[in-house]
């Protein structure tokens, strides 16, 4: 809760604006559980989530209905409240676990299978009607938002007193010079730091630093929690003994990575480039030229439209059919428009197919270590977490960190030539990793795209996010707000194609913003054929290379199943475009091939409720999509990609699952470091992942298959103690699991589940 004497924070998505803090008094809960305010290292989306959790939003009405008025999952089915099911038939909404593994018999007083909440609860706690909490406009807040997601607090993980950076990587008696001298607030006495301020070394991984084992030296130096494995004491011959850091002898004389370089990581942007962006020294000539052309063409369009109105040729605007019936005036109009300075170049060809299951862009959980884990388990295509365009243009370190990818993500995806029918696709030029960005104005998207294509050479695609439901993003006109502004979105994609070089541009959308008004089909039609304005200007297709559709609306969030019937309808539209249907020939909608994506084909990917190879294959066959994007299914069981490849259920043992957690921890330490802060960061993101992974119910104890993402399990016990522990919904057990590899948590470390029901969902997904 912000105090009266504190400065109102700036809007992380629009730094020139500010956020209005509520004037309510802090409650006892808020005093005892202080909110986690945005940190410097947070990305813009993470900051937006934190602002939203604390109610730091403008006082506008929220259009969505409160959760109590939403149609719940399978609401037409009700369970017998007095007695449990008496047969072995599968019950909707309940994971079908064999009776011998249930903690409480079905129908007993302790059976909680019929009272579990749906996934939307994590988001609903920050998405309810503001008036219902505030007592109307200007009224005082009546009741605090339910759930711990409104004030999550992770504490900190730092040494009691830090070691000065001039000592961190140097021998004891040969440090670098500190410009602050005796006034420095950090410790200069190395032995005192090791004895009094640094926590004891970790004994996990055999007590050997995993980074030192991998790279030959540890970037954390004396701060490393495994420093005992790469330090020694040498005799100087004058009676003194000096502490030194040692390098791994197995690397011999091979060159080592510097402290500023990250082994196996690509798309690293230099500090100087970020400074140039911050000081606005980095130019974007292509984006500037295209923006000028776009403004000029818009003025010409308005001028022509006004002239036609004055002459009475058009009354109240013309439909596509009206324009198509008058071809001669259209050709005359096209001749009046200036050719854009940059047409979409011959992009690198990409491919989506049955053999390329896609890992969705996931805020918070879709970090580099998790993507790396999924790639090792068979994920063929990955995306960065959603990055906001303005912070990228400002050179913010936290936002550019999202663009980092592991070298395993730069390898070509799986490709079976017999399935594709493509002739010019070069699989060896393709790679797995793509970037996803969000913007609310075309110029932001254009500038960010031009800079990304210049500074990040290892990008498969640049994807535009049109699905993020976070209120702060939506109110700024980005994310899912673009679904209601198709003309703006089309301009963005056309402009991005003009400045992205050989990198294709793709888009991810939802069905619409409202349940009752799906708009995705019209939007898809506009993107693949071109809108009215662009057709008048002489353009054709927007040039979008691929479209991903999440079968839910913004309002729906995660209530009810994804609508794959609607996804199928949109897929049929794109398939007709790809088949070059004669419906578009000899009409105003006949596309200019120069504006089509490379190869003239638009790929279509479906997203929603894929939790097994059975789901995956059914979506491909029934909806006729090119590939399926997987989000929650991968968070709950990352080996879903293995199941898809092998075409069978994999009953992973508890030991195998624990080894995946160990691998994630290793990847996390390599990414965030092995010092106290790096260990704390790794622990935090591990717990975020475990908040999904605990929901996995082993197929070996299930009575019916396939499993469903919407099912919630009653209390169950595993086939051994470790399996029971991995399935625990108590976050304190997740911390115990983290301590198996990261040792005891720091005394100031805190982890609070997103809400009391322990039901989790992605707050912003691309």
């Amino acid at each position: 809760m912000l105090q009266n004497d504190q400065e109102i924070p700036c809007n992380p998505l629009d730094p020139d604006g500010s956020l209005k803090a509520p004037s309510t008094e802090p409650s006892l809960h808020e005093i005892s559980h202080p909110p986690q305010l945005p940190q410097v290292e947070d990305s813009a989306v993470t900051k937006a989530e934190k602002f939203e959790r604390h109610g730091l939003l403008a006082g506008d009405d929220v259009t969505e209905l409160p959760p109590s008025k939403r149609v719940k999952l399978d609401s037409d089915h009700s369970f017998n409240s007095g007695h449990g099911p008496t047969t072995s038939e599968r019950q909707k909404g309940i994971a079908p676990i064999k009776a011998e593994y249930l903690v409480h018999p079905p129908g007993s007083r302790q059976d909680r299978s019929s009272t579990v909440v749906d996934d939307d609860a994590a988001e609903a706690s920050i998405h309810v009607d503001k008036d219902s909490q505030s007592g109307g406009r200007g009224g005082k807040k009546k009741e605090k938002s339910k759930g711990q997601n409104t004030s999550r607090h992770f504490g900190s993980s730092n040494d009691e007193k830090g070691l000065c950076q001039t000592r961190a990587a140097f021998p004891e008696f040969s440090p670098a010079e500190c410009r602050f001298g005796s006034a420095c607030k950090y410790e200069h006495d190395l032995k005192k730091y090791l004895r009094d301020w640094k926590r004891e070394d970790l004994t996990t991984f055999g007590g050997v630093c995993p980074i030192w084992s991998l790279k030959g030296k540890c970037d954390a130096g004396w701060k490393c929690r495994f420093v005992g494995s790469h330090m020694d004491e040498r005799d100087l011959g004058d009676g003194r003994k000096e502490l030194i850091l040692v390098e791994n002898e197995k690397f011999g004389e091979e060159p080592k990575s510097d402290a500023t370089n990250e082994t196996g990581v690509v798309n690293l942007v230099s500090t100087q480039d970020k400074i140039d962006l911050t000081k606005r020294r980095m130019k974007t000539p292509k984006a500037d030229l295209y923006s000028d052309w776009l403004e000029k063409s818009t003025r010409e369009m308005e001028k022509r439209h006004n002239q036609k109105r004055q002459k009475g040729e058009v009354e109240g605007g013309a439909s596509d059919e009206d324009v198509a019936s008058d071809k001669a005036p259209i050709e005359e109009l096209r001749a009046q428009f200036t050719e854009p300075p940059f047409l979409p170049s011959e992009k690198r060809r990409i491919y989506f197919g049955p053999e390329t299951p896609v890992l969705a862009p996931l805020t918070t959980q879709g970090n580099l270590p998790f993507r790396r884990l999924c790639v090792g388990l068979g994920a063929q295509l990955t995306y960065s977490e959603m990055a906001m365009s303005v912070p990228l243009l400002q050179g913010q370190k936290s936002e550019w960190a999202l663009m980092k990818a592991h070298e395993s993500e730069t390898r070509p995806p799986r490709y079976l030539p017999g399935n594709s029918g493509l002739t010019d696709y070069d699989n060896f030029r393709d790679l797995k990793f793509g970037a996803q960005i969000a913007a609310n104005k075309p110029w932001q998207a254009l500038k960010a795209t031009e800079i990304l294509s210049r500074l990040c050479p290892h990008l498969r695609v640049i994807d535009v996010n049109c699905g993020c439901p976070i209120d702060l993003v939506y109110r700024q006109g980005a994310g899912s707000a673009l679904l209601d502004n198709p003309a703006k979105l089309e301009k963005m994609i056309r402009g991005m194609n003009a400045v992205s070089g050989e990198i294709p541009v793709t888009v991810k959308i939802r069905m619409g913003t409202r349940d009752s008004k799906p708009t995705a089909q019209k939007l898809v039609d506009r993107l693949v054929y071109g809108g009215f304005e662009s057709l008048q200007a002489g353009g054709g297709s927007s040039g979008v290379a691929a479209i991903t559709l999440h079968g839910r609306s913004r309002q729906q969030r995660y209530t009810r199943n994804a609508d794959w019937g609607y996804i199928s309808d949109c897929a049929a539209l794109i398939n007709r475009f790809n088949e070059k249907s004669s419906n578009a020939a000899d009409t105003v909608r006949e596309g200019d091939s120069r504006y089509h994506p490379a190869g003239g084909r638009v790929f279509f990917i479906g997203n929603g409720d894929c939790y097994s190879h059975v789901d995956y294959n059914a979506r491909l066959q029934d909806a006729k999509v090119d590939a399926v994007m997987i989000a929650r299914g991968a968070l709950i069981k990352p080996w879903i990609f293995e199941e898809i490849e092998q075409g069978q259920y994999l009953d992973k043992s508890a030991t195998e699952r624990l080894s995946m957690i160990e691998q994630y921890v290793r990847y996390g330490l390599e990414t965030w470091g092995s010092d106290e802060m790096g260990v704390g960061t790794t622990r935090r993101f591990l717990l975020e992942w475990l908040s999904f992974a605990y929901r996995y119910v082993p197929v070996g104890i299930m009575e019916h298959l396939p499993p469903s993402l919407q099912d919630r399990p009653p209390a169950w016990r595993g086939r051994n103690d470790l399996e029971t522990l991995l399935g625990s919904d108590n976050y304190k057990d997740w911390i115990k699991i983290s301590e198996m590899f990261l040792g005891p948590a720091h005394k100031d470390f805190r982890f609070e589940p997103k809400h009391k029901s322990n039901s989790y969902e992605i707050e912003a997904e691309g």
Side-chain angles (χ1 to χ4, degrees):
M1 198 73 176
L2 293 175
Q3 302 298 322
N4 294 332
D5 59 346
Q6 286 183 320
E7 183 180 354
I8 300 298
C10 66
N11 190 325
L13 307 182
D14 183 11
D16 295 330
S18 62
L19 294 170
K20 181 180 178 181
S23 59
T24 55
E25 294 297 325
S27 66
L28 179 61
H29 178 86
E30 291 169 328
I31 295 173
S32 59
H33 296 280
Q36 184 193 14
L37 295 178
Q39 304 297 320
V40 175
E41 63 272 12
D42 290 338
S43 69
V45 178
T46 302
K47 291 175 182 175
E49 290 177 351
K50 291 178 178 178
F51 281 133
E52 187 172 5
R53 289 169 190 154
H54 307 324
L56 300 177
L57 296 174
D60 299 334
D61 287 337
V62 179
T63 58
E64 286 74 4
L65 295 175
S68 60
K69 295 185 179 180
R70 296 184 189 173
V71 180
K72 294 300 181 182
L73 171 67
D74 298 319
S75 59
D76 58 332
H77 180 88
S78 60
F79 297 105
N80 187 330
S81 60
H83 303 282
T86 58
T87 69
S88 62
E89 295 181 1
R90 185 163 187 168
Q91 303 293 318
K92 288 185 178 181
I94 300 178
I97 297 176
K98 295 177 181 178
E100 59 265 34
Y101 296 104
L102 293 176
V103 174
H104 307 294
S108 66
R109 295 175 65 88
Q110 293 82 11
D111 179 22
R112 58 185 176 87
S113 59
S114 61
T115 59
V116 289
V117 297
D118 58 35
D119 273 336
D120 195 56
E123 291 183 325
S125 63
I126 57 171
H127 198 65
V128 294
D129 189 341
K130 296 294 186 293
D131 286 346
S132 66
Q133 295 182 21
S134 61
R137 287 185 178 273
K140 291 187 177 181
K141 189 175 181 181
K142 290 184 177 180
E143 183 180 356
K144 180 176 172 61
S145 299
K146 296 181 179 179
Q148 298 178 20
N149 197 31
T150 56
S151 59
R152 301 184 73 203
H153 183 60
F154 298 101
S156 61
S157 297
N158 293 301
D159 293 322
E160 191 170 346
K161 184 177 182 180
L163 180 67
C164 180
Q165 199 60 33
T166 61
R167 269 67 175 165
F170 297 92
E172 180 183 5
F173 300 145
S174 307
E177 182 178 355
C178 177
R179 63 191 182 97
F180 298 102
S182 58
C184 181
K185 64 179 181 178
Y186 295 105
E187 183 62 66
H188 282 198
D189 187 331
L190 178 59
K191 288 183 177 177
K192 181 176 179 60
Y193 165 76
L194 295 174
R195 181 182 66 249
D196 298 339
W197 309 129
K198 182 179 176 295
R199 293 180 68 197
E200 68 281 359
D201 274 8
L202 296 175
T203 59
T204 55
F205 302 111
V208 178
C209 175
I211 300 176
W212 182 78
S213 299
L214 175 72
K215 299 172 60 174
K217 70 175 186 179
C218 176
D219 300 336
W222 296 109
K223 299 179 182 181
C224 177
R225 290 294 308 278
F226 301 88
V227 69
S229 64
H230 50 77
M231 64 172 283
D232 199 1
E233 193 174 45
R234 66 181 176 187
D235 192 341
L236 298 180
D238 58 0
R240 295 184 302 163
K241 292 185 177 181
E242 181 183 31
L243 294 177
I244 60 170
L245 296 169
V246 297
E247 296 182 352
N248 195 330
E249 295 180 356
K250 75 175 184 179
F251 285 81
E253 297 302 319
E254 296 180 13
K256 317 289 190 309
S257 304
D258 349 282
T260 57
N261 236 350
E262 299 183 44
T263 301
V265 177
V266 299
N267 294 337
L268 293 171
V269 178
S270 69
T271 301
Q272 186 58 51
D273 284 334
K274 295 171 189 173
I275 293 175
D276 289 344
L277 285 167
T278 301
K279 296 183 178 295
R280 299 184 179 181
R281 292 197 296 247
M282 186 171 290
K283 305 302 180 182
T284 54
K286 292 181 181 180
D288 294 340
L289 190 56
Y290 192 94
S291 296
D292 292 342
W293 172 85
L294 185 61
E295 184 178 350
K296 180 180 179 182
S297 64
T298 301
R299 287 199 302 265
E300 290 180 357
M301 176 74 72
E302 292 175 351
K303 179 180 177 181
R304 174 66 179 179
H305 186 68
N306 291 335
Q307 289 175 350
K308 294 183 74 175
R309 276 182 174 275
Q310 292 172 2
K311 293 178 181 179
E313 296 176 3
V314 177
E315 296 182 1
S319 65
D320 286 359
E321 292 75 11
D322 295 330
V323 176
S325 65
D326 190 7
K327 185 117 182 200
I330 288 298
E331 293 300 331
E332 179 185 349
L333 177 62
R334 289 178 174 179
Q336 295 181 18
F337 281 89
T338 308
E339 188 76 5
F342 299 100
L343 289 172
S345 61
E346 188 65 27
K347 306 287 183 182
R348 182 198 314 118
R349 293 204 62 175
I350 58 175
Y351 170 70
F352 291 87
E355 68 272 34
T356 60
V358 186
L359 176 64
L362 305 165
T363 298
T364 304
Q365 287 87 1
N367 47 64
L368 189 151
F370 183 75
R371 297 197 313 267
R372 187 177 173 188
L373 178 69
C374 289
V375 168
L377 293 170
Q380 296 303 306
L381 302 172
T382 63
Y383 289 88
S384 71
E385 299 178 53
M386 182 183 75
M388 299 303 300
S389 294
V390 171
L392 286 174
L393 296 175
Q394 293 173 336
Q396 290 189 13
K397 180 180 178 182
S398 58
E399 217 69 14
W400 280 103
L402 303 179
M403 296 299 111
K404 294 179 183 178
H406 188 257
E407 60 184 1
S408 62
E409 297 177 272
T410 65
R411 296 166 189 153
R414 187 183 303 118
Y415 175 59
L416 302 177
N419 293 344
S420 67
L422 300 179
T423 55
D424 300 327
Y425 171 65
D426 185 357
N427 180 248
F428 293 102
R429 292 187 63 206
D430 206 351
L431 61 159
K432 293 183 172 71
F433 178 73
Q436 188 185 69
I437 63 173
N440 63 357
K441 294 181 176 63
W443 70 265
Q444 297 173 2
L446 267 63
K447 284 178 173 288
T449 298
E450 183 174 351
I451 292 175
L452 277 171
S453 62
R454 184 188 310 165
L455 301 183
C456 298
H458 298 90
L459 291 179
R460 182 179 201 255
V461 298
I462 298 177
D463 188 74
V464 183
N465 180 294
C466 300
C468 177
I470 294 179
D471 282 339
L472 187 55
V473 176
Y474 178 79
R475 291 173 186 234
Q476 291 294 321
S480 55
L482 290 173
L483 300 175
D484 293 331
N485 201 332
K488 181 194 289 187
L489 176 59
E490 184 184 1
K491 290 176 183 177
M492 278 187 184
I493 294 176
R494 288 182 182 278
M496 290 169 66
N497 263 314
V499 303
S500 65
E502 69 167 8
I503 302 175
V505 176
T506 62
V507 64
K508 187 172 189 294
I509 63 177
R510 285 181 179 245
M511 288 172 52
T513 55
R514 301 282 298 182
D515 270 352
S516 57
K517 296 181 180 179
T519 57
Q521 196 164 357
K522 289 184 179 180
L523 180 59
V524 168
D525 181 89
R526 184 183 188 111
L527 294 179
V528 298
Y529 288 108
F532 171 72
E533 302 89 346
S534 59
L535 291 173
Q536 281 198 324
S541 169
S542 68
V544 65
I547 299 174
T548 302
L549 174 59
H550 183 181
R552 291 183 172 91
S553 68
R554 175 182 184 264
Q555 180 185 6
Q556 180 185 347
R557 295 293 178 104
Y558 287 89
T559 59
R560 304 189 306 279
N561 294 324
D563 190 344
W564 277 88
Y566 189 85
I567 294 176
S568 178
D569 294 340
C570 295
L573 188 155
I574 291 184
N575 289 335
R576 287 195 297 271
F577 172 83
N578 290 333
E579 293 167 4
K580 298 182 178 178
S581 171
S582 60
N583 293 336
D586 299 324
T587 71
V588 71
R589 307 201 74 190
E590 183 176 4
D592 187 335
S593 60
R594 296 176 301 167
Y595 293 90
H596 289 182
R601 177 174 179 177
V602 178
F603 290 95
F604 189 62
I605 302 94
N607 174 219
D609 297 343
C610 183
Y611 192 36
S612 67
H613 68 286
V614 174
D615 293 336
Y616 186 85
N617 293 329
R619 308 312 187 205
L620 292 175
Q621 181 176 355
D622 299 338
K624 300 297 187 293
V625 294
D626 293 302
V628 177
M629 180 177 282
I630 306 170
R632 290 178 297 165
L635 289 169
I636 295 173
K637 58 170 188 180
W639 61 94
I640 186 176
F641 300 104
E642 279 188 311
E643 292 187 346
I644 291 170
E645 182 179 0
Q646 299 181 23
Q648 63 179 1
Y649 293 105
L650 298 177
D651 188 9
K652 294 287 186 181
S653 68
T655 303
E656 290 175 301
R657 292 167 60 196
L658 191 65
S659 68
M660 293 180 194
I661 295 174
E662 178 183 358
Q663 194 64 60
Y664 179 90
V665 171
R666 288 182 179 273
Y667 292 159
L669 293 175
E670 290 176 26
T671 302
W672 296 302
S674 57
D675 60 351
E676 188 66 57
M677 183 175 293
V679 169
T681 302
T682 300
R683 190 190 309 274
R684 179 228 162 161
F685 284 108
L686 171 62
L687 294 174
E688 296 281 11
W689 173 36
L690 292 179
S691 71
F692 282 89
Y694 89 91
R695 285 168 45 178
Y696 172 70
V697 178
V699 294
I701 70 171
M702 296 190 70
E703 198 163 26
H704 302 285
L705 295 173
S708 171
L709 268 176
Q710 303 292 25
D711 287 350
R712 295 295 175 267
W716 58 278
R717 62 174 63 89
R719 291 164 290 190
N720 53 56
D721 291 342
L722 180 57
E723 192 168 73
T724 303
L725 178 65
L726 292 174
S728 171
D729 62 358
N730 189 332
Y731 74 94
K732 294 180 180 179
D733 287 331
W734 309 340
I735 295 178
K736 290 179 183 177
I737 294 171
S738 75
E739 291 178 343
M740 295 181 183
F741 306 104
L742 297 171
H746 191 279
K747 62 181 178 63
D748 295 328
F749 179 82
R750 300 288 184 273
F751 179 81
E752 297 178 6
K754 286 191 176 178
H755 55 83
K756 295 178 181 178
S757 66
N758 286 339
S759 175
Y760 298 84
E761 203 39 77
I762 309 164
E763 293 189 21
E765 52 79 38

